[in-house]
mmCIF file of all heavy atoms in Angstrom:
data_model
loop_
_atom_site.group_PDB
_atom_site.id
_atom_site.type_symbol
_atom_site.label_atom_id
_atom_site.label_comp_id
_atom_site.label_asym_id
_atom_site.label_seq_id
_atom_site.Cartn_x
_atom_site.Cartn_y
_atom_site.Cartn_z
ATOM 1 N N LEU A 70 72.643 116.935 101.343
ATOM 2 C CA LEU A 70 71.488 117.704 100.712
ATOM 3 C C LEU A 70 70.584 116.664 100.121
ATOM 4 O O LEU A 70 69.395 116.841 100.255
ATOM 5 C CB LEU A 70 72.015 118.647 99.648
ATOM 6 C CG LEU A 70 72.746 119.844 100.082
ATOM 7 C CD1 LEU A 70 73.478 120.599 98.917
ATOM 8 C CD2 LEU A 70 71.786 120.838 100.800
ATOM 9 N N ILE A 71 71.117 115.705 99.511
ATOM 10 C CA ILE A 71 70.186 114.639 98.883
ATOM 11 C C ILE A 71 69.359 113.914 99.953
ATOM 12 O O ILE A 71 68.181 113.664 99.718
ATOM 13 C CB ILE A 71 71.061 113.603 98.078
ATOM 14 C CG1 ILE A 71 71.568 114.397 96.834
ATOM 15 C CG2 ILE A 71 70.157 112.405 97.649
ATOM 16 C CD1 ILE A 71 72.575 113.579 95.985
ATOM 17 N N LYS A 72 70.039 113.540 101.028
ATOM 18 C CA LYS A 72 69.378 112.795 102.125
ATOM 19 C C LYS A 72 68.249 113.674 102.760
ATOM 20 O O LYS A 72 67.229 113.149 103.183
ATOM 21 C CB LYS A 72 70.290 112.438 103.269
ATOM 22 C CG LYS A 72 71.208 111.238 102.952
ATOM 23 C CD LYS A 72 72.051 110.946 104.042
ATOM 24 C CE LYS A 72 73.033 109.781 103.730
ATOM 25 N NZ LYS A 72 73.947 109.386 104.761
ATOM 26 N N ARG A 73 68.420 115.045 102.717
ATOM 27 C CA ARG A 73 67.373 115.917 103.282
ATOM 28 C C ARG A 73 66.416 116.356 102.187
ATOM 29 O O ARG A 73 65.552 117.144 102.543
ATOM 30 C CB ARG A 73 68.091 117.109 103.902
ATOM 31 C CG ARG A 73 69.003 116.710 105.005
ATOM 32 C CD ARG A 73 69.224 117.715 105.955
ATOM 33 N NE ARG A 73 67.940 118.137 106.807
ATOM 34 C CZ ARG A 73 67.559 117.535 107.863
ATOM 35 N NH1 ARG A 73 68.221 116.475 108.387
ATOM 36 N NH2 ARG A 73 66.487 118.005 108.517
ATOM 37 N N GLY A 74 66.477 115.909 101.002
ATOM 38 C CA GLY A 74 65.494 116.145 99.989
ATOM 39 C C GLY A 74 65.633 117.510 99.264
ATOM 40 O O GLY A 74 64.773 117.994 98.712
ATOM 41 N N VAL A 75 66.952 117.976 99.393
ATOM 42 C CA VAL A 75 67.148 119.292 98.642
ATOM 43 C C VAL A 75 67.655 119.044 97.233
ATOM 44 O O VAL A 75 68.561 118.152 97.116
ATOM 45 C CB VAL A 75 68.218 120.139 99.382
ATOM 46 C CG1 VAL A 75 68.580 121.435 98.689
ATOM 47 C CG2 VAL A 75 67.721 120.421 100.731
ATOM 48 N N PRO A 76 67.079 119.503 96.231
ATOM 49 C CA PRO A 76 67.572 119.276 94.841
ATOM 50 C C PRO A 76 68.903 119.891 94.507
ATOM 51 O O PRO A 76 69.025 121.161 94.643
ATOM 52 C CB PRO A 76 66.379 120.041 93.910
ATOM 53 C CG PRO A 76 65.789 121.045 94.811
ATOM 54 C CD PRO A 76 65.903 120.497 96.269
ATOM 55 N N ILE A 77 69.839 119.074 94.101
ATOM 56 C CA ILE A 77 71.160 119.577 93.853
ATOM 57 C C ILE A 77 71.240 120.042 92.378
ATOM 58 O O ILE A 77 72.275 120.697 92.018
ATOM 59 C CB ILE A 77 72.272 118.478 94.093
ATOM 60 C CG1 ILE A 77 72.046 117.275 93.278
ATOM 61 C CG2 ILE A 77 72.311 118.173 95.503
ATOM 62 C CD1 ILE A 77 73.215 116.302 93.274
ATOM 63 N N LEU A 78 70.175 119.883 91.585
ATOM 64 C CA LEU A 78 70.220 120.478 90.211
ATOM 65 C C LEU A 78 70.082 122.065 90.302
ATOM 66 O O LEU A 78 70.471 122.819 89.409
ATOM 67 C CB LEU A 78 68.987 119.991 89.337
ATOM 68 C CG LEU A 78 69.274 118.573 88.757
ATOM 69 C CD1 LEU A 78 67.954 118.173 88.069
ATOM 70 C CD2 LEU A 78 70.417 118.605 87.859
ATOM 71 N N ASN A 79 69.594 122.514 91.412
ATOM 72 C CA ASN A 79 69.433 123.960 91.606
ATOM 73 C C ASN A 79 70.602 124.720 92.113
ATOM 74 O O ASN A 79 70.522 125.874 92.569
ATOM 75 C CB ASN A 79 68.210 124.312 92.431
ATOM 76 C CG ASN A 79 66.902 123.962 91.946
ATOM 77 O OD1 ASN A 79 66.823 123.287 90.880
ATOM 78 N ND2 ASN A 79 65.811 124.400 92.425
ATOM 79 N N MET A 80 71.817 124.017 92.113
ATOM 80 C CA MET A 80 73.021 124.622 92.574
ATOM 81 C C MET A 80 73.814 125.015 91.398
ATOM 82 O O MET A 80 74.030 124.263 90.476
ATOM 83 C CB MET A 80 73.808 123.568 93.451
ATOM 84 C CG MET A 80 73.013 123.199 94.675
ATOM 85 S SD MET A 80 73.638 121.861 95.626
ATOM 86 C CE MET A 80 75.144 122.595 96.210
ATOM 87 N N ASP A 81 74.324 126.255 91.436
ATOM 88 C CA ASP A 81 75.014 126.869 90.410
ATOM 89 C C ASP A 81 76.521 127.054 90.890
ATOM 90 O O ASP A 81 76.708 127.924 91.747
ATOM 91 C CB ASP A 81 74.516 128.210 89.964
ATOM 92 C CG ASP A 81 75.182 128.777 88.726
ATOM 93 O OD1 ASP A 81 75.887 128.061 87.983
ATOM 94 O OD2 ASP A 81 75.128 130.076 88.579
ATOM 95 N N TYR A 82 77.478 126.191 90.465
ATOM 96 C CA TYR A 82 78.773 126.168 91.030
ATOM 97 C C TYR A 82 79.710 127.249 90.326
ATOM 98 O O TYR A 82 79.687 127.331 89.055
ATOM 99 C CB TYR A 82 79.504 124.774 90.687
ATOM 100 C CG TYR A 82 78.836 123.711 91.433
ATOM 101 C CD1 TYR A 82 77.744 122.936 90.870
ATOM 102 C CD2 TYR A 82 79.109 123.428 92.752
ATOM 103 C CE1 TYR A 82 77.025 121.960 91.630
ATOM 104 C CE2 TYR A 82 78.494 122.397 93.471
ATOM 105 C CZ TYR A 82 77.477 121.701 92.872
ATOM 106 O OH TYR A 82 76.902 120.699 93.559
ATOM 107 N N GLY A 83 80.350 128.062 91.142
ATOM 108 C CA GLY A 83 81.210 129.062 90.582
ATOM 109 C C GLY A 83 82.546 128.398 90.387
ATOM 110 O O GLY A 83 82.756 127.179 90.619
ATOM 111 N N LYS A 84 83.597 129.223 89.950
ATOM 112 C CA LYS A 84 84.763 128.552 89.668
ATOM 113 C C LYS A 84 85.613 128.515 90.979
ATOM 114 O O LYS A 84 85.335 129.246 91.920
ATOM 115 C CB LYS A 84 85.574 129.386 88.629
ATOM 116 C CG LYS A 84 85.945 130.886 89.079
ATOM 117 C CD LYS A 84 86.757 131.488 87.929
ATOM 118 C CE LYS A 84 87.153 132.871 88.462
ATOM 119 N NZ LYS A 84 88.169 133.375 87.611
ATOM 120 N N ILE A 85 86.611 127.628 91.019
ATOM 121 C CA ILE A 85 87.456 127.450 92.253
ATOM 122 C C ILE A 85 88.547 128.524 92.139
ATOM 123 O O ILE A 85 89.120 128.728 91.095
ATOM 124 C CB ILE A 85 88.108 126.037 92.186
ATOM 125 C CG1 ILE A 85 86.968 124.971 92.222
ATOM 126 C CG2 ILE A 85 89.115 125.926 93.322
ATOM 127 C CD1 ILE A 85 87.553 123.593 92.094
ATOM 128 N N GLU A 86 88.547 129.317 93.231
ATOM 129 C CA GLU A 86 89.525 130.322 93.336
ATOM 130 C C GLU A 86 90.394 130.308 94.611
ATOM 131 O O GLU A 86 89.968 129.794 95.595
ATOM 132 C CB GLU A 86 88.753 131.702 93.317
ATOM 133 C CG GLU A 86 87.668 131.865 94.286
ATOM 134 C CD GLU A 86 86.715 132.921 94.166
ATOM 135 O OE1 GLU A 86 86.469 133.326 92.936
ATOM 136 O OE2 GLU A 86 86.218 133.521 95.067
ATOM 137 N N PRO A 87 91.582 130.788 94.532
ATOM 138 C CA PRO A 87 92.496 130.812 95.680
ATOM 139 C C PRO A 87 91.928 131.807 96.721
ATOM 140 O O PRO A 87 91.430 132.832 96.379
ATOM 141 C CB PRO A 87 93.886 131.312 95.149
ATOM 142 C CG PRO A 87 93.520 131.938 93.904
ATOM 143 C CD PRO A 87 92.305 131.411 93.320
ATOM 144 N N ALA A 88 92.159 131.381 97.984
ATOM 145 C CA ALA A 88 91.681 132.202 99.143
ATOM 146 C C ALA A 88 92.840 132.449 100.044
ATOM 147 O O ALA A 88 93.978 132.011 99.882
ATOM 148 C CB ALA A 88 90.494 131.545 99.848
ATOM 149 N N SER A 89 92.629 133.170 101.175
ATOM 150 C CA SER A 89 93.622 133.539 102.041
ATOM 151 C C SER A 89 94.114 132.278 102.870
ATOM 152 O O SER A 89 93.375 131.300 103.040
ATOM 153 C CB SER A 89 93.176 134.592 103.051
ATOM 154 O OG SER A 89 92.050 134.052 103.839
ATOM 155 N N GLY A 90 95.345 132.343 103.346
ATOM 156 C CA GLY A 90 95.885 131.268 104.116
ATOM 157 C C GLY A 90 96.112 130.004 103.375
ATOM 158 O O GLY A 90 95.939 128.877 103.878
ATOM 159 N N ALA A 91 96.495 130.041 102.121
ATOM 160 C CA ALA A 91 96.898 128.897 101.251
ATOM 161 C C ALA A 91 95.737 127.981 101.166
ATOM 162 O O ALA A 91 95.836 126.764 101.285
ATOM 163 C CB ALA A 91 98.121 128.155 101.823
ATOM 164 N N THR A 92 94.518 128.474 100.910
ATOM 165 C CA THR A 92 93.342 127.664 100.851
ATOM 166 C C THR A 92 92.701 128.014 99.475
ATOM 167 O O THR A 92 93.070 128.931 98.848
ATOM 168 C CB THR A 92 92.369 127.888 101.966
ATOM 169 O OG1 THR A 92 91.880 129.283 101.956
ATOM 170 C CG2 THR A 92 92.881 127.502 103.292
ATOM 171 N N VAL A 93 91.700 127.137 98.976
ATOM 172 C CA VAL A 93 90.951 127.466 97.856
ATOM 173 C C VAL A 93 89.484 127.425 98.225
ATOM 174 O O VAL A 93 89.135 126.808 99.252
ATOM 175 C CB VAL A 93 91.127 126.486 96.809
ATOM 176 C CG1 VAL A 93 92.530 126.519 96.203
ATOM 177 C CG2 VAL A 93 90.832 125.065 97.220
ATOM 178 N N ARG A 94 88.584 128.164 97.604
ATOM 179 C CA ARG A 94 87.244 128.208 97.858
ATOM 180 C C ARG A 94 86.389 128.252 96.537
ATOM 181 O O ARG A 94 86.901 128.515 95.514
ATOM 182 C CB ARG A 94 86.918 129.468 98.722
ATOM 183 C CG ARG A 94 86.718 130.687 97.907
ATOM 184 C CD ARG A 94 86.167 131.865 98.758
ATOM 185 N NE ARG A 94 86.609 133.044 98.160
ATOM 186 C CZ ARG A 94 87.376 133.975 98.705
ATOM 187 N NH1 ARG A 94 87.640 133.863 100.024
ATOM 188 N NH2 ARG A 94 87.736 135.053 98.038
ATOM 189 N N GLN A 95 85.109 127.837 96.761
ATOM 190 C CA GLN A 95 84.133 127.806 95.600
ATOM 191 C C GLN A 95 82.901 128.320 96.080
ATOM 192 O O GLN A 95 82.429 127.887 97.101
ATOM 193 C CB GLN A 95 84.125 126.349 95.133
ATOM 194 C CG GLN A 95 83.143 126.324 93.800
ATOM 195 C CD GLN A 95 83.189 124.889 93.249
ATOM 196 O OE1 GLN A 95 83.592 123.893 93.857
ATOM 197 N NE2 GLN A 95 82.876 124.862 91.938
ATOM 198 N N ASN A 96 82.259 129.283 95.384
ATOM 199 C CA ASN A 96 80.980 129.744 95.717
ATOM 200 C C ASN A 96 79.891 128.921 95.021
ATOM 201 O O ASN A 96 80.078 128.612 93.734
ATOM 202 C CB ASN A 96 80.813 131.222 95.264
ATOM 203 C CG ASN A 96 81.731 132.174 96.074
ATOM 204 O OD1 ASN A 96 81.915 131.873 97.193
ATOM 205 N ND2 ASN A 96 82.086 133.206 95.480
ATOM 206 N N ILE A 97 78.802 128.611 95.657
ATOM 207 C CA ILE A 97 77.700 127.802 95.044
ATOM 208 C C ILE A 97 76.508 128.684 95.381
ATOM 209 O O ILE A 97 76.057 128.817 96.526
ATOM 210 C CB ILE A 97 77.641 126.347 95.838
ATOM 211 C CG1 ILE A 97 79.042 125.659 95.649
ATOM 212 C CG2 ILE A 97 76.486 125.574 95.171
ATOM 213 C CD1 ILE A 97 78.957 124.339 96.501
ATOM 214 N N LYS A 98 75.873 129.052 94.304
ATOM 215 C CA LYS A 98 74.623 129.871 94.341
ATOM 216 C C LYS A 98 73.493 128.895 94.269
ATOM 217 O O LYS A 98 73.406 127.967 93.438
ATOM 218 C CB LYS A 98 74.608 130.886 93.244
ATOM 219 C CG LYS A 98 73.458 131.849 93.321
ATOM 220 C CD LYS A 98 73.550 132.873 92.246
ATOM 221 C CE LYS A 98 72.462 133.917 92.308
ATOM 222 N NZ LYS A 98 71.204 133.373 91.856
ATOM 223 N N LEU A 99 72.449 129.077 95.089
ATOM 224 C CA LEU A 99 71.218 128.263 95.083
ATOM 225 C C LEU A 99 70.159 129.029 94.203
ATOM 226 O O LEU A 99 69.819 130.163 94.561
ATOM 227 C CB LEU A 99 70.654 128.044 96.535
ATOM 228 C CG LEU A 99 71.643 127.254 97.398
ATOM 229 C CD1 LEU A 99 71.161 127.312 98.852
ATOM 230 C CD2 LEU A 99 71.765 125.854 96.922
ATOM 231 N N LYS A 100 69.736 128.386 93.191
ATOM 232 C CA LYS A 100 68.689 129.048 92.223
ATOM 233 C C LYS A 100 67.285 128.775 92.813
ATOM 234 O O LYS A 100 66.889 127.690 93.049
ATOM 235 C CB LYS A 100 68.790 128.443 90.907
ATOM 236 C CG LYS A 100 70.212 128.759 90.179
ATOM 237 C CD LYS A 100 70.122 128.260 88.745
ATOM 238 C CE LYS A 100 70.605 126.819 88.695
ATOM 239 N NZ LYS A 100 70.797 126.236 87.539
ATOM 240 N N GLN A 101 66.629 129.979 92.958
ATOM 241 C CA GLN A 101 65.133 129.917 93.412
ATOM 242 C C GLN A 101 64.380 130.387 92.208
ATOM 243 O O GLN A 101 64.688 131.433 91.575
ATOM 244 C CB GLN A 101 64.953 130.841 94.542
ATOM 245 C CG GLN A 101 65.632 130.359 95.836
ATOM 246 C CD GLN A 101 64.783 129.408 96.553
ATOM 247 O OE1 GLN A 101 64.284 128.508 95.951
ATOM 248 N NE2 GLN A 101 64.735 129.531 97.858
ATOM 249 N N GLY A 102 63.322 129.611 91.952
ATOM 250 C CA GLY A 102 62.381 130.089 90.809
ATOM 251 C C GLY A 102 62.865 129.630 89.473
ATOM 252 O O GLY A 102 63.983 129.185 89.347
ATOM 253 N N ILE A 103 62.020 129.879 88.476
ATOM 254 C CA ILE A 103 62.335 129.550 87.156
ATOM 255 C C ILE A 103 62.592 130.732 86.358
ATOM 256 O O ILE A 103 61.739 131.685 86.347
ATOM 257 C CB ILE A 103 61.100 128.759 86.470
ATOM 258 C CG1 ILE A 103 60.738 127.526 87.317
ATOM 259 C CG2 ILE A 103 61.451 128.411 85.062
ATOM 260 C CD1 ILE A 103 59.384 126.855 86.894
ATOM 261 N N ASP A 104 63.763 130.784 85.781
ATOM 262 C CA ASP A 104 64.091 132.042 85.113
ATOM 263 C C ASP A 104 63.357 132.050 83.727
ATOM 264 O O ASP A 104 62.811 131.104 83.309
ATOM 265 C CB ASP A 104 65.599 132.152 84.846
ATOM 266 C CG ASP A 104 66.262 131.042 84.046
ATOM 267 O OD1 ASP A 104 65.558 130.056 83.970
ATOM 268 O OD2 ASP A 104 67.307 131.177 83.430
ATOM 269 N N GLN A 105 63.370 133.293 83.170
ATOM 270 C CA GLN A 105 62.446 133.487 81.861
ATOM 271 C C GLN A 105 62.853 132.542 80.764
ATOM 272 O O GLN A 105 62.086 132.087 80.052
ATOM 273 C CB GLN A 105 62.669 135.008 81.494
ATOM 274 C CG GLN A 105 62.033 135.920 82.466
ATOM 275 C CD GLN A 105 60.501 135.843 82.428
ATOM 276 O OE1 GLN A 105 59.823 135.599 81.432
ATOM 277 N NE2 GLN A 105 59.906 135.892 83.729
ATOM 278 N N GLU A 106 64.130 132.284 80.606
ATOM 279 C CA GLU A 106 64.614 131.531 79.528
ATOM 280 C C GLU A 106 64.127 130.098 79.580
ATOM 281 O O GLU A 106 63.599 129.581 78.669
ATOM 282 C CB GLU A 106 66.189 131.459 79.532
ATOM 283 C CG GLU A 106 66.773 130.570 78.432
ATOM 284 C CD GLU A 106 68.245 130.491 78.617
ATOM 285 O OE1 GLU A 106 69.002 131.455 79.087
ATOM 286 O OE2 GLU A 106 68.909 129.479 78.405
ATOM 287 N N HIS A 107 64.166 129.443 80.833
ATOM 288 C CA HIS A 107 63.675 128.065 81.051
ATOM 289 C C HIS A 107 62.113 128.073 80.993
ATOM 290 O O HIS A 107 61.577 127.124 80.515
ATOM 291 C CB HIS A 107 64.229 127.570 82.279
ATOM 292 C CG HIS A 107 65.657 127.201 82.135
ATOM 293 N ND1 HIS A 107 66.609 128.014 82.866
ATOM 294 C CD2 HIS A 107 66.302 126.189 81.639
ATOM 295 C CE1 HIS A 107 67.757 127.469 82.597
ATOM 296 N NE2 HIS A 107 67.589 126.382 81.840
ATOM 297 N N ALA A 108 61.608 129.189 81.467
ATOM 298 C CA ALA A 108 60.046 129.237 81.432
ATOM 299 C C ALA A 108 59.606 129.191 79.966
ATOM 300 O O ALA A 108 58.614 128.530 79.629
ATOM 301 C CB ALA A 108 59.579 130.416 82.154
#
Side-chain angles (χ1 to χ4, degrees):
L70 289 169
I71 291 170
K72 283 183 183 175
R73 301 207 61 91
V75 177
I77 60 171
L78 280 177
N79 289 13
M80 297 171 70
D81 186 25
Y82 296 92
K84 65 177 187 165
I85 298 174
E86 54 194 33
S89 63
T92 60
V93 292
R94 80 169 156 239
Q95 185 172 20
N96 293 330
I97 304 171
K98 187 174 180 287
L99 299 170
K100 294 185 271 187
Q101 292 277 41
I103 302 170
D104 59 340
Q105 291 294 318
E106 177 185 328
H107 289 103

